[in-house]
Amino acid sequence: MHPAQRRPLIAGNWKMNLTRDGAVALARSVARHAAGACVDVAIFPAFVHIDAVLSALRTDGTEVPVGAQDCSDAPNGAFTGEVSLGMLKDIGCHWVLTGHSERRHVIGETDDIVASKTAAALGAGMTCVLCIGETLDQREGGETDAVNERQLRAALGGISPADMLKLVIAYEPVWAIGTGRTATPDDAQLAHAAVRHVLQDLFGAEMAHRTRILYGGSLKAANAPDLLAKPDIDGGLVGGASLEAGEFGAIIDAAAALAVSA
Ligand code: 13P
């Protein structure tokens, strides 16, 4: 059962997928499905598709937050290939992911870089979904909670309580991303509870209680009900399954059914 102030959030991270037309069509379909649902829904298309997706949703009169998968921590200047928070806000994009495991482990972003981007995003008034999670080696070495704690403290050490109100955490065990392997609901719950404990230590019980912690890693319609039923799992950050409107819609429905029964 989720406390009333933690409205579930189902977010789709589309990663480096889709054409512009495909992204617009998928966004329209997700927005139609999300309309009237008693859960929050957000989508994260590739940078080059965000503007077209926002325009289409505006034309349709539907409202689903459209976010970016990354951002620069610099306001402007000679940073070839980067996209600033000001540029995102200028086109109506007010959500951003930071610290996704593919940026940490494939692109090589450090805890310090993730911290800087998270602070910049929150400072710019964006809603920020901070991603954390352990690798397989770290899990097998019993380091899951320590890794999550290190990533949290590094990213949130300088964040004000006011900015925390616009922060969502996504716990994504790296070994579960795109592999078809999910954490068991019990294992995920333990990790989420430990994350909330760190939030309590950093910001106090009330902030820890109201901050949403999403699960990500091979989340799909079939496993969503069991994972989302756990008390400290407040929604999902969905990769592969968010690329199919029907599958993503079924995850939204699972979260909505649990919210209604809570
Ligand atoms: P998958 O759902 O494809 O495992 O990806 C999870 C993820 O990385 C979402 O950000």
Side-chain angles (χ1 to χ4, degrees), residues 13 15 100 102 172 176-179 216-219 237-241:
N13 175 9
K15 306 193 180 182
H100 190 277
E102 286 139 25
E172 301 199 302
I177 295 177
T179 60
S218 297
L219 186 62
L237 182 56
V238 189

Side-chain angles (χ1 to χ4, degrees), residues 152-217:
L152 280 172
R153 288 188 185 277
L156 300 181
I159 300 303
S160 71
D163 281 346
M164 275 301 291
L165 299 174
K166 301 203 93 174
L167 186 97
V168 177
I169 310 270
Y171 165 61
E172 301 199 302
V174 179
W175 49 271
I177 295 177
T179 60
R181 292 179 64 184
T182 34
T184 65
D186 286 343
D187 282 348
Q189 165 58 27
L190 283 175
H192 281 233
V195 166
R196 206 175 297 287
H197 193 75
V198 176
L199 294 178
Q200 178 168 342
D201 194 47
L202 284 169
F203 298 101
E206 197 192 326
M207 189 65 77
H209 189 66
R210 65 186 297 165
T211 302
R212 291 185 287 193
I213 307 173
L214 314 182
Y215 171 80

Side-chain angles (χ1 to χ4, degrees), residues 245-258:
E247 184 75 10
F248 191 60
I251 297 172
I252 296 170
D253 291 346
L258 287 160

Side-chain angles (χ1 to χ4, degrees), residues 61-216:
T62 47
E63 282 188 30
V64 168
V66 179
Q69 299 168 16
D70 182 36
C71 62
S72 173
D73 57 353
N76 52 50
F79 298 100
T80 301
E82 293 290 88
V83 175
S84 75
L85 290 155
M87 290 170 179
L88 294 170
K89 287 167 66 179
D90 184 46
I91 60 167
C93 172
H94 299 282
W95 286 51
V96 66
L97 302 181
T98 55
H100 190 277
S101 80
E102 286 139 25
R103 298 215 58 88
R104 291 179 190 266
H105 298 292
V106 183
I107 314 285
E109 288 190 6
T110 60
D111 281 349
D112 282 353
I113 292 173
V114 176
S116 181
K117 290 184 174 190
T118 304
L122 292 170
M126 308 272 282
T127 297
C128 179
V129 180
L130 167 69
C131 307
I132 59 168
E134 84 286 5
T135 63
L136 185 57
D137 278 356
Q138 290 165 334
R139 165 154 292 248
E140 288 176 345
E143 297 168 45
T144 297
D145 292 343
V147 168
N148 285 338
E149 178 162 4
R150 189 200 76 224
Q151 293 180 349
L152 280 172
R153 288 188 185 277
L156 300 181
I159 300 303
S160 71
D163 281 346
M164 275 301 291
L165 299 174
K166 301 203 93 174
L167 186 97
V168 177
I169 310 270
Y171 165 61
E172 301 199 302
V174 179
W175 49 271
I177 295 177
T179 60
R181 292 179 64 184
T182 34
T184 65
D186 286 343
D187 282 348
Q189 165 58 27
L190 283 175
H192 281 233
V195 166
R196 206 175 297 287
H197 193 75
V198 176
L199 294 178
Q200 178 168 342
D201 194 47
L202 284 169
F203 298 101
E206 197 192 326
M207 189 65 77
H209 189 66
R210 65 186 297 165
T211 302
R212 291 185 287 193
I213 307 173
L214 314 182
Y215 171 80

